[in-house]
């Protein structure tokens, strides 16, 4: 599961689609955590897709990640600013790859 304290235990190493990327990143095998308010651990996401389908405000967009050992696409929190903290994605992701900081 994603580390809920990723923002203390990792460092921002990059920016993507207007959100932070928390390292370590060693492409293509290690991709880190994307986003801060809505955070997805790309190294855990296995492209299940229920978050992309069910988020009521379409926070997530697919990004291609060829060569990653877990899956070759990831749910990117491209529109994290639109999140309404419903926590649905956190509840439904089968591999617990998502953390939403609702506090
Ligand atoms: Fe979307 Fe709700 Fe998840 Fe926010 S908490 S990203 S609104 S499903
Ligand atoms: Fe990935 Fe979980 Fe969404 S596996 S695609 S973050 S439901
Ligand atoms: Zn991203």
């Amino acid at each position: 599961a994603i580390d809920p304290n990723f923002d203390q235990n990792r460092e921002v190493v990059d920016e993507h689609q207007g959100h932070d990327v928390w390292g370590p990143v060693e492409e293509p095998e290690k991709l880190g955590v994307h986003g801060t308010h809505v955070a997805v651990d790309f190294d855990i996401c296995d492209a299940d897709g229920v978050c992309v389908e069910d988020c009521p405000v379409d926070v997530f967009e697919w990004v291609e990640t060829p060569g990653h050992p877990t899956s070759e696409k990831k749910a990117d929190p491209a529109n994290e600013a639109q999140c309404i903290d419903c926590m649905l994605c956190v509840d439904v992701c089968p591999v617990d790859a998502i953390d939403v900081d609702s506090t």
Side-chain angles (χ1 to χ4, degrees):
I2 186 170
D3 174 7
N5 299 316
F6 72 90
D7 53 340
Q8 290 153 47
N9 298 331
R10 294 173 180 249
E11 285 179 16
V12 174
V13 296
D14 203 355
E15 201 180 303
H16 180 242
Q17 303 273 52
H19 54 254
D20 286 333
V21 179
W22 303 79
V25 171
E26 286 166 43
E27 293 179 355
E29 296 90 2
K30 213 164 172 41
L31 299 175
V33 170
H34 280 233
T36 301
H37 180 69
V38 180
V40 179
D41 190 324
F42 272 25
D43 295 310
I44 295 174
C45 172
D46 69 358
D48 177 86
V50 67
C51 63
V52 180
E53 289 162 22
D54 288 1
C55 172
V57 291
D58 294 329
V59 162
F60 303 98
E61 291 178 8
W62 289 117
V63 294
E64 304 295 319
T65 58
H68 190 270
T70 308
S71 61
E72 300 213 319
K73 62 177 183 174
K74 307 292 176 183
D76 191 40
N79 308 308
E80 68 172 349
Q82 293 174 21
C83 175
I84 56 170
D85 297 345
C86 71
M87 304 310 273
L88 182 127
C89 58
V90 173
D91 291 340
V92 295
C93 175
V95 291
D96 290 333
I98 309 174
D99 181 69
V100 174
D101 181 12
S102 60
T103 54

